[in-house]
Amino acid sequence: MKDHLTQNDIDAKIKDAKFTFLEDGRTTICNLYLENGFTVRGESSCVSKDNFNKNIGEQIALENAKNKVWELEGYLLAEDIHRSKSWIFSQK
């Protein structure tokens, strides 16, 4: 059984990423579509729309969305490890 996650594990869960730019001219939303159909969002925003940079906004929003995938996958891995240990102990 696997006992850790890698960036490749996280990236493999992501099937698509779509970006939306809000009308405020400062905010970028990244919507990740995962292999199981679940979606996760990350966002970025700058103080002034004069400072807005599309590439930087996308990069930060994507990173924030991926951090949420890390949390979800970490929880699932911890749950799998816990259940496998519980199953082993119940067989004794």
Side-chain angles (χ1 to χ4, degrees), residues 3-46:
D3 65 352
H4 68 280
L5 294 169
T6 66
Q7 185 64 56
N8 287 337
D9 295 324
I10 301 305
D11 291 342
K13 298 292 181 184
I14 300 168
K15 292 304 173 196
D16 198 12
K18 302 278 186 199
F19 295 93
T20 302
F21 305 96
L22 298 188
E23 293 177 8
D24 67 4
R26 308 176 300 126
T27 304
T28 305
I29 307 292
C30 175
N31 200 41
L32 295 181
Y33 297 85
L34 305 183
E35 66 180 359
N36 65 1
F38 196 71
T39 59
V40 176
R41 282 159 299 289
E43 67 179 70
S44 67
S45 191
C46 57

Side-chain angles (χ1 to χ4, degrees), residues 21-89:
F21 305 96
L22 298 188
E23 293 177 8
D24 67 4
R26 308 176 300 126
T27 304
T28 305
I29 307 292
C30 175
N31 200 41
L32 295 181
Y33 297 85
L34 305 183
E35 66 180 359
N36 65 1
F38 196 71
T39 59
V40 176
R41 282 159 299 289
E43 67 179 70
S44 67
S45 191
C46 57
V47 174
S48 167
K49 60 182 165 181
D50 294 334
N51 295 330
F52 180 77
N53 179 301
K54 181 179 182 275
N55 292 332
I56 292 172
E58 287 179 346
Q59 179 184 358
I60 293 170
L62 176 61
E63 182 179 327
N64 288 336
K66 282 185 176 183
N67 285 338
K68 292 179 181 179
V69 177
W70 273 101
E71 289 178 24
L72 293 168
E73 290 299 316
Y75 172 82
L76 286 174
L77 179 58
E79 185 66 15
D80 287 347
I81 292 168
H82 171 74
R83 286 183 181 190
S84 70
K85 287 179 181 176
S86 296
W87 183 84
I88 291 168
F89 290 125

